[in-house]
Amino acid sequence: MSELMAFDQAMERFDPVMGIEIHVELNTKTKMFCACANRFGAPPNTQVCPVCLGLPGAMPAVNHKAVESAIRLGLALNCKIAEHSTFARKNYFYPDLSKDYQISQYEDPIDFDGFLDVELADGAVFRIGIERAHMEEDAAKNTHVGGATGRIQGADYTLVDYNRGGTPLVEIVTKPIEGAGARAPELARAYVAAVRELVIALGVSDARMEQGSIRADVNLSLRPRAATPAEQAQVPFGKRSETKNVNSLRSIERTVRYEVRRQAGLLAAGLPVAQETRHWHEDSESTSPGRSKEQAEDYRYFPEPDLLPIKPSRAWVEELRRTLPEPPAERRKRLQAELGFTDLELRDAVNAGALDLIAASVAAGATPAGARKWWMGELSRAANERGVGLAELPVGPADVAALEGLIRSGRVTDKLARQVLEGVLAGEGSPEEVVAARGLEVVSDDAALAEAIDAALAAQPDVADKIRAGRVQAAGAIVGAVMKATRGQADAARVRDLILAKLTPAES
């Protein structure tokens, strides 16, 4: 095995060329070719039928909603929509493919020849060409039991869950991505993030990478550096590796970086790069060989005999075009201007999945700063502790707006607001209901505060003497005692004013 080459050195000697295939699971109610439920997390093998198991005589029928979602996704990717689209059988054997073939699209994909403009962190925009976006069905899920790594190597046996078999997929295939240079890892990550953001905006997938709703195959090859861009374009592509099923943005970036270093090391040592699939290992941040990469002819594609061609009318396509949402990048810029966020604040909110929730909170009456503080602070921590997304918390934008309204009106302090939020997260009701149930409203009655102040001064006469002597900073100890006595429900600034008014002479 050759040594990995330093990334900067690899970039001086080689030009990376990428190709990225993204599998998007569509969130239709039923599967691609049958009426079985398309739902994640059900007990194994409870969502299966003769069609998705491929039993003899079973006849598939195309899911209309899946076709609609595929067309909308193609339009959002600036693709042409085929007037005539067909399915084919892709033949190969795997234990998670019970009928030994996958129904996919081959020669006539539903979407083709598009592009997506991807913005990098410094604002640079890189246009990614889309070769095709075709429909197909997902395979089942294997669980390898008994090994140390969860992989088939060393496992005692394998369990197969066919619930996922037949889930509707759209596979988005890029054209070769050239010219990214040292920004290739960053660009790969940004592209997958942009597609994920797009499918969420379209509402065609829940886009949960940790559950495999979106996963990417990263193809990468290197070719020697030429002196000029024109000469570089004449240099043929190198042999490529395909790292399969990478399912986090961080891993996609690291996969590209690792493969650049690995292939550069091989080429520098005079060794060939094998055309193969590879596995990404999160623990070691490296890849390992899978199998030699098949060519299309190895799959012996032939037309699916049980499904008719899809011929979407132009009127329907234009009707679907009118349903497209505002492009995510444009919407992001609009919201940044409306919320007054800096680039850093915007990026943090986007990365946390909080931008839409912040915007909705502002629409419900919160200030941009207040909404950002709660969603990026207490609520992000709560989501992390529970291992869920922000949108899955039992707190909505209206609750955040109500919470901030309680603070602005002086009915609760910032500290009390955190207790209110704890109650809402615990399912005790709305912020108003939690305040009432827990008795969290600020004590604003001066008479009640005076009583607590007198008790604190009596307990700390030496502190009282210091205040009388003009050492007003000593009032902090009395304020603290009053806050403790009122369980944090006093207005600390008001308490301090009352203490000084009581113990220091008024100016003449």
Side-chain angles (χ1 to χ4, degrees):
M1 181 178 175
S2 63
E3 295 291 327
L4 298 177
M5 183 180 289
F7 185 79
D8 291 344
Q9 185 184 355
M11 286 297 98
E12 291 174 1
R13 298 183 56 177
F14 300 103
D15 176 38
V17 178
M18 294 190 295
I20 300 176
E21 301 168 13
I22 299 178
H23 290 81
V24 179
E25 282 189 354
L26 302 178
N27 57 2
T28 53
K29 290 182 180 177
T30 56
K31 293 185 180 180
M32 187 71 213
F33 301 114
C34 67
C36 287
N38 177 26
R39 187 176 68 249
F40 181 85
N45 297 311
T46 57
Q47 298 172 177
V48 295
C49 73
V51 173
C52 55
L53 289 175
L55 299 185
M59 294 292 287
V62 175
N63 185 326
H64 181 275
K65 185 66 178 178
V67 176
E68 177 183 305
S69 296
I71 292 175
R72 293 182 72 232
L73 181 52
L75 291 170
L77 290 168
N78 303 291
C79 287
K80 298 180 176 66
I81 308 302
E83 295 187 13
H84 180 280
S85 181
T86 59
F87 286 98
R89 291 187 180 183
K90 182 180 181 182
N91 295 276
Y92 63 101
F93 171 77
Y94 273 115
D96 58 1
L97 196 64
S98 55
K99 53 186 178 245
D100 288 352
Y101 64 85
Q102 178 188 31
I103 301 178
S104 181
Q105 293 196 301
Y106 178 43
E107 294 181 318
D108 305 309
I110 188 77
D111 310 317
F112 61 98
D113 194 18
F115 67 86
L116 183 64
D117 288 331
V118 177
E119 184 174 344
L120 301 181
D122 64 354
V125 176
F126 203 104
R127 177 161 291 188
I128 303 287
I130 305 297
E131 179 74 31
R132 57 191 279 150
H134 62 259
M135 297 180 289
E136 62 185 25
E137 61 179 340
D138 208 347
K141 179 184 178 183
N142 291 332
T143 301
H144 307 296
V145 181
T149 64
R151 296 188 175 277
I152 194 169
Q153 295 84 358
D156 296 326
Y157 58 91
T158 296
L159 300 173
V160 186
D161 178 6
Y162 286 98
N163 282 352
R164 197 178 68 178
T167 295
L169 289 179
V170 172
E171 181 176 344
I172 305 166
V173 182
T174 68
K175 298 176 180 176
I177 303 170
E178 304 176 62
R183 305 195 77 173
E186 176 190 2
L187 178 60
R189 174 176 181 150
Y191 166 66
V192 178
V195 171
R196 180 173 182 268
E197 191 176 36
L198 188 63
V199 301
I200 291 174
L202 289 166
V204 299
S205 172
D206 62 15
R208 299 193 63 161
M209 297 189 77
E210 73 279 10
Q211 292 182 0
S213 302
I214 286 188
R215 49 192 191 269
D217 299 341
V218 180
N219 290 266
L220 187 122
S221 66
L222 297 180
R223 56 182 176 177
R225 283 270 177 212
T228 66
E231 292 174 356
Q232 187 69 66
Q234 302 304 313
V235 180
F237 296 163
K239 287 283 182 63
R240 62 186 168 89
S241 64
E242 180 181 5
T243 306
K244 303 288 287 185
N245 295 326
V246 188
N247 65 352
S248 79
L249 298 177
R250 175 177 176 271
S251 295
I252 286 164
E253 183 170 0
R254 295 188 176 208
T255 294
V256 173
R257 183 174 289 274
Y258 179 83
E259 278 298 291
V260 165
R261 297 184 64 200
R262 184 186 70 84
Q263 293 188 20
L266 286 170
L267 295 171
L271 299 172
V273 173
Q275 184 160 316
E276 62 186 0
T277 65
R278 297 184 69 84
H279 303 296
W280 170 251
H281 304 284
E282 194 67 50
D283 51 351
S284 60
E285 296 188 354
S286 64
T287 65
S288 64
R291 53 180 166 77
S292 61
K293 178 60 179 173
E294 292 87 350
Q295 302 297 325
E297 54 268 26
D298 296 326
Y299 290 115
R300 296 177 292 110
Y301 282 98
F302 66 83
E304 166 58 57
D306 294 332
L307 292 171
L308 293 171
I310 297 170
K311 299 179 179 180
S313 73
R314 294 302 94 181
W316 185 41
V317 171
E318 291 310 309
E319 182 183 333
L320 294 177
R321 191 190 302 276
R322 288 192 288 275
T323 70
L324 298 183
E326 181 182 15
E330 293 179 19
R331 182 170 186 274
R332 201 164 49 241
K333 288 186 182 299
R334 175 175 62 78
L335 288 178
Q336 182 180 12
E338 291 176 0
L339 299 173
F341 283 0
T342 65
D343 289 344
L344 179 61
E345 288 171 339
L346 178 72
R347 188 170 69 239
D348 288 347
V350 170
N351 290 341
L355 183 60
D356 286 344
L357 294 165
I358 292 172
S361 300
V362 172
T367 65
R372 180 178 180 278
K373 181 187 78 172
W374 289 109
W375 284 112
M376 300 296 292
E378 295 295 319
L379 290 168
S380 284
R381 276 192 287 277
N384 288 335
E385 288 171 2
R386 297 178 181 211
V388 299
L390 281 173
E392 296 172 83
L393 290 173
V395 173
D399 294 319
V400 171
L403 188 67
E404 216 215 354
L406 288 169
I407 299 172
R408 285 204 306 270
S409 66
R411 291 179 59 193
V412 299
T413 62
D414 203 67
K415 182 177 181 181
L416 288 172
R418 286 172 167 75
Q419 296 181 45
V420 175
L421 196 58
E422 288 175 5
V424 179
L425 285 166
E428 297 174 15
S430 68
E432 286 277 3
E433 291 169 335
V434 173
V435 167
R438 293 194 177 192
L440 293 175
E441 198 154 352
V442 165
V443 176
S444 56
D445 181 356
D446 283 358
L449 292 177
E451 187 176 334
I453 290 170
D454 288 343
L457 291 171
Q460 301 183 73
D462 53 330
V463 176
D465 289 342
K466 291 178 183 176
I467 299 171
R468 288 190 187 94
R471 295 171 64 182
V472 295
Q473 67 273 20
I478 303 302
V479 172
V482 172
M483 296 302 291
K484 183 177 182 181
T486 58
R487 295 182 303 157
Q489 289 179 247
D491 180 339
R494 181 60 183 160
V495 171
R496 188 175 189 279
D497 288 344
L498 291 173
I499 294 169
L500 296 182
K502 184 180 183 69
L503 299 183
T504 57
E507 294 183 3
S508 59

